[in-house]
Amino acid sequence: LGRAGFERDRLEKVWQLDLGQRGEQLARDAGEARGEAKKAGIELVTVADWPDPQAMSKLHALDDSTRKDIPTTFPILAESLEDFTRRASAPDRPHDVWWIALAGQRPVAMSHLRIPPVRGNAWTGYTCCDREYRGRGLARAVKLQSLAQAADRGVPFVYTDNDSENAP
């Protein structure tokens, strides 16, 4: 490939988390993170349990603003609310494992799992935090909720990936 003019541009890391082995610790960590968030005035809920009629619009705004911070070689194009809502309603993205951190009624962090409805591997779909709320452990808190929940449901492994230049 080098002789043909190709060169390495980016690296992506992929991890497999054994929920059978780590499930109890994840549940403890999730409870602690939920308590810390609550002390800071942040509520952690699933999208399924959030009755806001503007939920998809608010989540789309959070998604759109945070995706601009993902290290990438190529630009990430904006996604319409219609396309976001369609993607958010895919069968592998159940809203009861899509966790959000709410400051009032404003979502400031989110993380969801992609769980195939029939068979296949569970993956972290996307985890993010609003710039204004970073450094408070909220992205970790929402991710822990979904991982602990998956472990409780008997999901054996969850896979996740990250660009090597994305330090968090």
Side-chain angles (χ1 to χ4, degrees), residues 73-147:
T73 300
F74 302 104
I76 297 173
L77 302 177
E79 180 178 34
S80 70
L81 174 59
E82 179 184 356
D83 287 343
F84 175 82
T85 302
R86 185 180 311 112
R87 193 169 49 89
S89 301
D92 69 343
R93 193 184 303 190
H95 290 185
D96 63 339
V97 293
W98 182 355
W99 284 85
I100 53 176
L102 294 173
Q105 283 298 304
R106 177 182 171 201
V108 295
M110 68 176 169
S111 184
H112 71 271
L113 294 181
R114 297 185 64 196
I115 302 174
V118 178
R119 67 177 157 264
N121 296 321
W123 282 80
T124 297
Y126 184 53
T127 301
C128 66
C129 188
D130 184 283
R131 286 182 199 108
E132 185 181 329
Y133 286 81
R134 290 183 186 159
R136 303 180 194 189
L138 296 175
R140 178 180 181 271
V142 289
K143 188 173 235 179
L144 280 168
Q145 304 313 304
S146 62
L147 293 172

